[in-house]
Amino acid sequence: MRYVLVLNCGSSSIKYRLVEVPSLETAAGGIVERVSDHAEGMRKVLAELEAAGPDLERVAVVGHRVVHGGTRYADPVVIDDAVERRIEELSPMAPLHNPVNLIGVRAAREVFPSVPHVAVFDTAFHQTMPPEAYTYAIPREWTAGGVRRYGFHGTSHAYVSRRAAEFLDRPYPEVNSIVLHLGNGASASAVEGGRCVDTSMGLTPLEGLVMGTRSGDVDPALAAFLARTRGLSVEEVDHALNHESGLLALCGHNDLREIWPLVDAGDPAAALAMEVYTRRARKYVGAYYAVLGRLDVLVFTAGVGENDPRTRAMILTGLENLGIVLDPEANTSPSRAPRVISAAGSPVTVLVVPTDEEREIAGQALAVTGLG
Ligand code: AMP
């Protein structure tokens, strides 16, 4: 038995999963939290894995989630010192993520010096977007400096859109889909025959859908307005839009499991929060339908998308004339498997497909190293 070790190194946590080759089934996994020293955190990961039993001598490749790959990386890449430098050079684009991703890469390369390490980028899947999708209408010198739409959650959008085609037994290159990745972070993508042609997150993960604590789309003049009228700094506005906005700002909670009971108890702020949240998602469905011209499949995934039938139904309300017809019974089935939730005869098939970024990272790491 050989393994892929998948590492997702965040600012204060390291998520890990040991994946069996070639089945990609999980052999062990977990999360080390409250990490302040990532080398120390990596030692904890190793200790937990060793306690779980598997022989770590059999790790054949290590796959790392790296958030920002810029325009350079449309595919996963085997990490060497030059790749490490480029991940570092991209840090201004993802200051909360790339530096800690890199610390994880360096710590893991020390622990596993003799196996290949592969970076799988959150931005990579979206690199197929055409210029008209990724270009902002802003001064050219900014664009020349790399200001454009990149998109994130790419590993999830790639995995889920491909799994949707497999599930329907249709060739991936022939299927047009919209993926709604609705977790604490949330994004939508339009995927035409396996290629991403538009996505809702932009230069940073702030743009697009209403999220747990992120505003999603707002008037870009907001920062200047708040600076003028309240004396807020750019950093204060940035922090508030990323961490104190979204559902949390609208109703005091960012977890849907806490919001629905408030809606049912007649809390007007919670009711409005869900209206704002679902209307934004519905608008992106309409926009991406228009971008694709023909829509075969609409897929829900991630924490909210997989588990919350009420939110799914609310997002798709009134879209019957677009050929999107939900089956209320299928929508509320407690199944955890990939499943159809649209009505028989609905022109667009609506699916729930659980995402699995670790499995996708493992598969990509094996493919790029030829070790699969
Ligand atoms: P994620 O970022 O994909 O882990 O998603 C986390 C979010 O999913 C939580 O903040 C909740 O809003 C939502 N969520 C998770 N489980 C459920 C559930 N059983 N019902 C409704 N929402 C859920």
Side-chain angles (χ1 to χ4, degrees):
M1 177 67 68
R2 290 177 306 138
Y3 299 113
V4 186
L5 175 59
V6 178
L7 293 172
N8 180 352
C9 204
S11 57
S12 63
S13 70
I14 304 176
K15 265 201 245 171
Y16 63 92
R17 193 192 293 182
L18 202 60
V19 174
E20 292 175 0
V21 181
S23 69
L24 300 186
E25 295 303 323
T26 299
I31 180 165
V32 173
E33 287 180 288
R34 289 184 290 282
V35 173
S36 52
D37 172 346
H38 284 75
E40 172 69 30
M42 202 59 71
R43 280 193 289 278
K44 278 200 188 136
V45 168
L46 285 187
E48 289 191 14
L49 278 171
E50 273 162 4
D55 178 3
L56 296 184
E57 294 284 315
R58 294 179 181 273
V59 170
V61 52
V62 182
H64 296 266
R65 174 182 183 233
V66 179
V67 164
H68 216 307
T71 51
R72 171 131 200 157
Y73 296 115
D75 294 298
V77 62
V78 177
I79 299 170
D80 57 16
D81 294 347
V83 171
E84 278 192 10
R85 276 197 301 280
R86 286 189 204 108
I87 293 172
E88 192 161 30
E89 283 161 17
L90 289 163
S91 286
M93 299 273 204
L96 300 178
H97 297 104
N98 272 32
V100 288
N101 296 159
L102 192 55
I103 290 169
V105 165
R106 288 180 169 143
R109 283 182 81 197
E110 276 185 24
V111 176
F112 295 97
S114 54
V115 303
H117 289 249
V118 174
V120 177
F121 299 95
D122 247 26
T123 48
F125 183 61
H126 306 303
Q127 278 294 304
T128 52
M129 283 191 292
E132 60 271 30
Y134 69 67
T135 305
Y136 290 124
I138 55 171
R140 281 177 89 146
E141 71 241 51
W142 298 352
T143 310
V147 178
R148 48 160 279 175
R149 177 187 306 283
Y150 291 96
F152 300 87
H153 292 146
T155 309
S156 175
H157 287 280
Y159 176 78
V160 164
S161 57
R162 199 184 61 247
R163 286 285 292 128
E166 284 167 8
F167 178 74
L168 295 172
D169 209 12
R170 295 184 57 182
Y172 192 31
E174 291 175 15
V175 176
N176 285 1
S177 54
I178 293 174
V179 178
L180 293 175
H181 174 114
L182 308 176
N184 200 29
S187 61
S189 69
V191 184
E192 185 175 49
R195 294 167 61 84
C196 177
V197 293
D198 216 330
T199 195
S200 59
M201 284 178 167
L203 173 69
T204 78
L206 182 57
E207 193 175 341
L209 302 177
V210 176
M211 313 183 205
T213 67
R214 294 187 198 127
S215 61
D217 297 333
V218 291
D219 186 330
L222 184 59
F225 175 81
L226 292 170
R228 274 198 307 274
T229 57
R230 296 184 176 222
L232 293 189
S233 69
V234 170
E235 286 73 23
E236 286 170 321
V237 175
D238 194 48
H239 181 83
L241 292 178
N242 274 291
H243 301 288
E244 297 164 357
S245 296
L247 291 169
L248 180 67
L250 290 169
C251 69
H253 297 271
N254 60 335
D255 191 315
L256 281 266
R257 286 163 294 191
E258 290 164 10
I259 297 174
W260 283 120
L262 294 174
V263 174
D264 291 335
D267 181 326
L272 178 63
M274 291 315 299
E275 293 288 352
V276 173
Y277 180 94
T278 55
R279 185 186 179 93
R280 182 80 52 84
R282 193 181 313 124
K283 283 169 78 166
Y284 271 90
V285 170
Y288 288 172
Y289 202 144
V291 161
L292 290 167
R294 185 200 84 228
L295 179 63
D296 302 305
V297 186
L298 192 151
V299 199
F300 286 97
T301 196
V304 178
E306 292 167 27
N307 297 305
D308 195 329
R310 203 165 164 184
T311 302
R312 291 194 297 257
M314 200 160 159
I315 289 171
L316 300 185
T317 300
L319 299 187
E320 295 79 8
N321 284 335
L322 294 183
I324 303 172
V325 188
L326 211 55
D327 176 338
E329 210 164 299
N331 184 39
T332 47
S333 144
S335 164
R336 324 236 92 236
R339 59 197 183 276
V340 176
I341 58 168
S342 47
S346 172
V348 175
T349 305
V350 184
L351 300 178
V352 175
V353 176
T355 192
D356 193 341
E357 288 162 281
E358 282 76 15
R359 190 185 175 107
E360 179 68 15
I361 289 171
Q364 291 197 15
L366 284 171
V368 72
T369 53
L371 292 168

